[in-house]
Every structure is written in structure tokens, then in C-alpha cells.
């Protein structure tokens, strides 16, 4: 039987990596991710987890060490946040291009300057195009479950791609929640052993990450794009299998009271839980509002978004990142372009809020919905709305 | 014609489609870098003057492409499939036996 334990979400993620029996952890501590790798270091030092823990001098080295380990056939895990994610930026592309299924938890954090250790999605959006599979989780249970799923998805021989699990810094990483941990035997069955088909080995030499002149580079990129797109099918299968095994189901776009909603709100990450409270209240007042929570960020779930939006007339998208001088938030841009070719589509209104750890309360979400409806009727001279900044 | 030293691969890179690539674009056939015609980059080529050459092999040692070879008579010459025209051999040759000549000449 699965055990329910009260535990901080960061520690729970480390425990999930332990259940997945990782072979190598290479990481550098950075707030608000530190507790994850600290606990893993503890588990290795205490002999509870048989893994190599590589303390490195920077995140750039952390990801580089992870590549080497994964290329040699080791199940590899790391975690980072904010500036740390940016420091490993160039190596992230190498992981996905070389098809090395590293699993990484990202404790989403705002970017400097000014220095902020608090949460938003600026770090995520800067690594949007790195070719990783990227999932968002809203609470501790989703984090644990999806760390397990990430290994199974990433290491699937049809996929072989690195996976990022995004969880909000502090808002989620530092919560203590009652969580269910599956039995080791169940996890062992759920995640088959990692077998890279052509690992680095002196007896079977191969070249990884070779030089590609113009005559071949573009072919490698097309192969990469096709592979990431195709990974969606495997992600769906994995979540389906996880649901059947553990009775908790996940999907690329989670719908909350969205049936027959005229107005939909779309959020990502732990703010979705607060938004649900607001939706409940508004539904209680007889308003036809619902919520979409985008879980799968890459590969982007185009069909699922179109289906989830259905016949809604207004879609209000909340981004927790700002594309300076651009169309507002990246999520809104992508959702809007996914819907643009539809004959019948809602008005898509973009909001940017919750930067650098700024809270949005249930009352705040109600305000966002009201303002979004107003803009959908009267229009606005702004490309997008900034919510929650003192004027 | 494929010049000497170029590995015979099952398929040259220019004929591979994206579907032919191994996972992660891993290269499994050794020596495929030999297909890379660095000679394409050249704007000047080295001309070796056998009257001045003392067969010392300095050009052979310094060539960063490893494309200088000794012929049957003991003189040195560049394999133009790979010679990228950097001029290092000409600079290092102490008898000034090598002259860099613009490609268009
Ligand atoms: S360096 Fe000059 S002299 Fe020596 S082998 Fe080469 S061409 Fe001849
Ligand atoms: S020009 Fe440069 S590449 Fe060409 S033979 Fe001389 S040293 Fe080698």
C-alpha cells in the first residue's frame, strides 16, 4: 500500500528521485531549489540511495556532468532554478539534441535584476525553445508523480529526451503537504531500466554531438522536431498507465468546471489552485466561468487546447513572465496562435501577473476575469494587461 | 572521384535524409569527418617550388589540416581537397619554397 506522509515538497521530489533509483545526481544548490539537492546529497551520504552525487562548481558544470552520465547509460537527475537555469542554458540544447534523458526539477524563480529569489516563470520562458519535454505541476502530489513519469517518458526508447518538471519556487517547493508515495516494487515495475541504445563505451565507440556542416545540420534539427512532437503520444500513454496503476490521472490540458463556460481562464503551475477557488465562488454565483490548466508546455498540446476551449467566447490567459516589448506573455501568444486558424474562436485576452513572488489571491483572479470580460466587450489600447502593479 | 584518405561510408552525409540519422544524430561510422572538404574554404593555395625545397618536412609538421604529404620523389605537396589555404606552411618554410597564390590566378 502506498504511504501518506507529511513532507516538504522539495524533499518529496528528492524521495521520488530515490524511488526512481537514480544513478547519478550532479547539481549546484540555488534557492528555492536547494532543499531538493540537499536532501539527495543526504540520501546518498547516508547510504540510502546508491548513486554518485557530483558536487560541481556551477550549473553549467552540473548539466554538463549530467550529459556525460546520461550518455554513459546512467539514470540522471538534477534540479535548479532561476539564474541557475540560465547559467546552464547552452548545455540544455546539447542534452536535447544528443537525446540524453536527464530529468530536472526546476523551482521556477524570477530573474535578476533586481535580485529576486521568489517565484515566477521568467526562467522557464527563457528555456522554452531548448527542445526539452516540459511539464508544469501544481501541488506536491503532482510533483512526485511526475518525477516518476518523467523518467519513464524521457527514457522511453521511442523518445530519449530530457524532461523538465516545473514547480513554483516557494509557493510549491517549500510547502509541507500530505503526500502518497508508491511502493518501491510498484515504481520498479512502472519505470523500466534505462537503456540508451548507443551509450558511450570503449568497446563500441560512437561520436556524440559531432560537428555538422550546413550539408547535414538542418536534417538533424528536423529529426529533433519530429521526435519531440512524437513524444506527446508516449507522454499520454505514460499518464494513462500511471492513472491505471496509481489512480491519479494527468492530461496535457486539465479542465476545471469548463463545461459550457462562456468565459475561460487559463493558468499554469500552482496559481491554478488559487484560481480554482475563485472559479468555485463565481460558479456559485451562477457565472459561466471555467478554468484550463496547461500542464504540458512542450511539446505544446495544440489539439487539446483547441478541444478544451470548445465554444468559449472569451479566453483569459495569465502569464507569469513578461516578453519585454513583445505581445505580453509567451503562454498567451502561443495559445492565441494555436486558436487563430479556428473558424470559431474566443477573444483571447492576455494578462501578466504574479512576477517575482507577487501573490494573486482568489479575489485577484475574480478581478482578472471581470477586467478580461470588460476588455472583450469594449476593447483596450493595450496589447495586454499588467495585473497587480501599483499605479 | 573521392580523393585519397576520404573514408568510404555507406552513404555520404549529403545524401542522408533526416530519417536516416541515428538517435541524437550519433555518428556510428568512424572517419566520416574525412568527407569534410575543408578545401572549400581556400582563397589561396600553396605552390611548392622543388628547386628551393630541401625536403625538411617542416610544412608537413606545421600544416594544421595534416594534408601535406611526401611524394615518391621525396618532395612535399598539399592535398587540395583538405588544404584550407591558411598559409602556415608558407610562413614556416625556411627556404621560402612555398608561395601562396590567390585561387583566381
Ligand atoms: S618546409 Fe619548405 S623546404 Fe621544408 S619540406 Fe616543406 S617546402 Fe620543402
Ligand atoms: S596552406 Fe595551410 S592547410 Fe594548406 S597546406 Fe599549407 S598549412 Fe596546410
Amino acid at each position: 500500500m502506498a504511504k501518506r506522509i507529511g513532507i516538504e515538497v522539495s524533499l518529496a521530489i528528492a524521495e521520488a528521485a530515490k524511488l526512481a533509483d537514480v544513478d547519478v545526481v550532479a547539481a549546484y544548490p540555488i534557492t528555492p531549489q536547494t532543499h531538493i539537492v540537499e536532501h539527495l546529497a543526504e540520501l546518498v551520504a547516508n547510504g540510502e540511495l546508491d548513486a554518485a552525487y557530483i558536487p560541481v562548481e556551477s550549473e553549467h558544470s552540473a548539466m554538463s556532468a549530467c550529459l556525460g552520465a546520461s550518455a554513459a547509460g546512467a539514470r540522471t537527475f538534477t534540479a535548479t532554478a532561476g539564474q541557475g537555469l540560465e547559467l546552464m542554458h547552452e548545455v540544455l540544447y546539447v542534452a536535447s539534441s544528443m537525446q540524453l534523458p536527464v530529468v530536472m526539477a526546476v523551482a521556477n524563480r524570477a530573474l535578476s535584476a533586481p535580485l529576486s529569489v521568489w517565484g515566477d516563470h521568467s526562467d522557464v520562458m527563457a528555456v522554452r525553445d531548448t527542445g526539452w519535454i516540459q511539464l508544469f505541476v501544481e501541488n506536491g502530489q503532482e510533483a512526485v508523480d511526475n518525477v516518476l513519469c518523467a523518467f519513464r517518458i524521457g527514457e522511453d526508447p521511442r523518445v530519449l529526451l530530457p524532461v523538465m518538471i516545473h514547480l513554483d519556487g516557494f509557493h510549491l517547493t517549500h510547502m509541507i503537504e500530505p503526500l502518497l508515495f508508491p511502493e518501491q516494487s510498484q515504481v520498479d515495475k512502472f519505470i523500466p531500466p534505462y537503456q540508451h541504445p548507443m551509450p558511450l563505451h570503449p568497446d563500441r565507440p560512437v561520436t556524440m554531438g559531432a560537428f555538422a556542416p550546413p550539408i547535414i545540420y538542418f536534417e538533424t534539427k528536423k529529426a529533433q522536431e519530429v521526435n519531440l512532437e512524437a513524444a506527446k503520444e508516449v507522454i499520454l500513454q505514460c499518464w494513462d498507465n500511471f492513472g491505471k496503476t496509481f489512480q491519479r490521472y494527468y492530461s496535457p490540458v486539465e479542465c476545471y468546471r469548463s463545461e459550457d463556460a462562456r468565459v475561460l481562464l487559463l493558468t499554469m503551475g500552482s496559481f491554478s489552485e488559487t484560481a480554482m477557488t475563485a472559479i468555485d465562488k463565481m460558479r456559485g454565483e451562477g457565472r459561466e466561468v471555467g478554468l484550463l490548466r496547461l500542464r504540458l508546455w512542450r511539446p505544446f498540446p495544440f489539439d487539446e487546447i483547441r478541444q478544451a476551449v470548445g465554444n468559449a467566447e472569451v479566453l483569459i490567459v495569465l502569464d507569469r513572465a513578461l516578453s519585454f516589448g513583445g505581445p505580453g506573455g509567451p503562454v498567451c501568444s502561443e495559445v492565441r496562435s494555436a486558436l487563430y486558424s479556428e473558424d470559431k474562436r474566443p477573444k483571447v485576452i492576455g494578462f501578466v501577473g504574479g512576477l517575482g513572488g507577487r501573490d494573486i489571491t482568489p479575489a485577484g483572479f475574480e478581478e482578472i476575469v471581470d477586467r478580461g470580460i470588460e476588455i472583450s466587450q469594449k476593447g483596450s489600447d493595450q496589447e495586454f494587461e499588467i495585473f497587480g502593479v501599483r499605479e | 572521384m573521392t580523393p585519397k584518405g576520404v573514408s568510404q561510408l555507406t552513404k555520404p552525409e549529403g545524401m542522408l535524409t533526416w530519417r536516416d540519422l541515428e538517435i541524437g544524430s550519433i555518428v556510428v561510422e568512424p572517419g566520416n569527418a574525412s568527407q569534410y572538404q575543408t578545401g572549400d574554404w581556400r582563397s589561396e593555395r600553396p605552390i611548392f617550388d622543388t628547386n628551393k625545397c630541401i625536403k625538411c618536412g617542416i610544412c608537413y609538421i606545421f600544416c594544421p589540416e595534416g594534408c601535406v604529404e611526401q611524394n615518391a620523389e621525396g618532395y612535399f605537396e598539399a592535398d587540395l581537397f583538405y588544404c584550407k589555404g591558411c598559409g602556415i606552411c608558407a610562413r614556416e618554410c625556411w627556404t621560402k619554397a612555398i608561395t601562396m597564390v590567390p585561387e583566381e590566378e
Side-chain angles (χ1 to χ4, degrees):
Chain A
M1 267 302 286
K3 286 180 283 246
R4 192 181 287 278
I5 300 170
I7 187 171
E8 186 188 294
V9 172
S10 289
L11 307 196
I13 286 174
E15 291 289 339
K18 172 177 173 270
L19 277 171
D21 194 22
V22 291
D23 300 313
V24 174
V25 179
Y28 191 84
I30 181 170
T31 306
Q33 159 273 150
T34 306
H35 293 180
I36 301 175
V37 294
E38 234 170 41
H39 191 54
L40 275 166
E42 223 162 47
L43 292 171
V44 173
N46 294 345
E48 292 171 63
L49 171 61
D50 180 18
Y53 187 96
I54 312 174
V56 284
E57 78 281 16
S58 76
E59 284 83 0
H60 192 281
S61 305
M63 186 46 63
S64 303
C66 285
L67 298 197
S70 186
R75 177 165 291 163
T76 308
F77 181 82
T78 187
T80 192
Q83 305 302 128
L85 186 61
E86 302 320 314
L87 186 50
M88 54 171 72
H89 192 90
E90 61 164 335
V91 197
L92 297 175
Y93 288 87
V94 182
S96 57
S97 309
M98 285 173 36
Q99 290 194 251
L100 300 172
V102 177
V103 172
M104 174 159 70
V106 181
N108 308 144
R109 167 182 157 170
L111 296 177
S112 292
L115 176 69
S116 167
V117 294
W118 291 274
D120 70 28
H121 296 164
S122 309
D123 57 353
V124 186
M125 294 309 153
V127 301
R128 182 187 65 174
D129 299 335
T130 52
W132 285 52
I133 292 172
Q134 303 191 42
L135 319 169
F136 275 82
V137 296
E138 295 166 18
N139 58 44
Q141 191 64 60
E142 293 187 1
V144 168
D145 294 350
N146 281 288
V147 166
L148 301 179
C149 289
F151 285 107
R152 177 170 158 143
I153 293 165
E155 294 173 3
D156 189 299
R158 293 166 294 175
V159 176
L160 288 168
L161 282 174
V163 185
M164 277 184 220
I165 299 131
H166 294 296
L167 70 158
D168 285 314
F170 291 116
H171 278 110
L172 185 49
T173 52
H174 287 53
M175 293 299 115
I176 294 175
E177 296 185 9
L179 301 179
L180 286 166
F181 287 91
E183 292 294 330
Q184 186 66 59
S185 56
Q186 290 176 295
V187 177
D188 292 346
K189 242 190 269 166
F190 182 69
I191 314 176
Y194 168 42
Q195 270 173 330
H196 192 285
M198 285 177 274
L200 289 180
H201 195 283
D203 294 345
R204 297 178 300 277
V206 293
T207 306
M208 292 185 178
F211 172 73
I215 201 164
I216 192 75
Y217 180 86
F218 205 1
E219 275 67 25
T220 72
K221 293 298 119 178
K222 160 116 189 192
Q224 195 178 342
E225 168 64 10
V226 171
N227 184 41
L228 181 55
E229 280 297 323
K232 199 176 91 185
E233 199 46 47
V234 179
I235 297 169
L236 296 179
Q237 285 170 12
C238 174
W239 277 337
D240 186 56
N241 192 291
F242 186 91
K244 285 179 181 142
T245 315
F246 300 106
Q247 286 74 51
R248 286 186 297 279
Y249 291 85
Y250 295 101
S251 57
V253 182
E254 309 272 2
C255 302
Y256 184 72
R257 306 189 74 170
S258 63
E259 64 291 344
D260 307 325
R262 281 180 45 248
V263 178
L264 287 173
L265 182 63
L266 186 145
T267 51
M268 290 207 297
S270 58
F271 277 31
S272 307
E273 306 240 317
T274 318
M276 282 191 244
T277 308
I279 296 293
D280 284 342
K281 178 160 175 280
M282 288 185 277
R283 278 279 185 183
E285 293 160 1
R287 301 181 65 181
E288 293 161 303
V289 292
L291 179 69
L292 305 182
R293 295 128 62 205
L294 187 53
R295 177 179 310 290
L296 183 61
W297 177 229
R298 282 295 183 275
F300 190 83
F302 291 96
D303 293 339
E304 287 84 352
I305 278 282
R306 288 176 192 135
Q307 212 175 340
V309 166
N311 291 320
E313 291 156 24
V314 182
L315 175 63
I316 301 161
V317 181
L318 174 73
D319 266 279
R320 292 189 64 204
L322 189 46
S323 167
F324 299 105
V331 183
C332 184
S333 304
E334 297 206 0
V335 169
R336 190 181 274 141
S337 71
L339 296 171
Y340 186 76
S341 55
E342 298 299 284
D343 292 333
K344 190 180 172 315
R345 55 173 191 261
K347 285 200 168 150
V348 181
I349 318 287
F351 280 76
V352 171
L355 297 200
R358 179 74 48 96
D359 260 329
I360 301 180
T361 60
F365 277 109
E366 280 187 68
E367 242 181 273
I368 288 174
V369 169
D370 289 338
R371 176 77 186 125
I373 293 170
E374 190 187 334
I375 294 171
S376 75
Q377 290 161 351
K378 296 188 191 149
S380 165
D381 54 359
Q382 306 287 319
E383 292 293 330
F384 64 97
E385 289 279 307
I386 288 185
F387 178 80
V389 169
R390 289 181 298 276
E391 292 291 344
Chain B
M1 200 196 79
T2 323
K4 187 167 72 131
V6 177
S7 289
Q8 298 302 309
L9 303 180
T10 29
K11 232 182 195 183
E13 275 187 350
M15 288 174 68
L16 292 176
T17 73
W18 66 270
R19 288 172 209 277
D20 295 326
L21 299 174
E22 299 287 347
I23 61 126
S25 304
I26 288 176
V27 178
V28 290
E29 286 181 283
N32 83 340
S34 65
Q35 289 194 0
Y36 188 35
Q37 192 178 350
T38 43
D40 262 2
W41 308 356
R42 198 175 55 245
S43 57
E44 292 186 324
R45 67 179 184 280
I47 303 292
F48 292 70
D49 181 350
T50 48
N51 293 324
K52 290 187 186 163
C53 176
I54 56 169
K55 302 179 179 175
C56 69
I58 283 290
C59 49
Y60 164 86
I61 289 167
F62 274 88
C63 173
E65 280 303 317
C67 74
V68 176
E69 284 171 310
Q70 201 168 17
N71 63 21
E73 295 163 50
Y75 290 111
F76 287 80
E77 55 195 21
D79 180 342
L80 294 179
F81 186 81
Y82 297 116
C83 168
K84 58 193 180 188
C86 66
I88 289 175
C89 54
R91 162 98 185 195
E92 296 298 330
C93 173
W94 33 35
T95 65
K96 303 265 181 276
I98 305 172
T99 318
M100 297 305 291
V101 180
E103 275 300 330
E104 56 269 25
E105 275 179 27

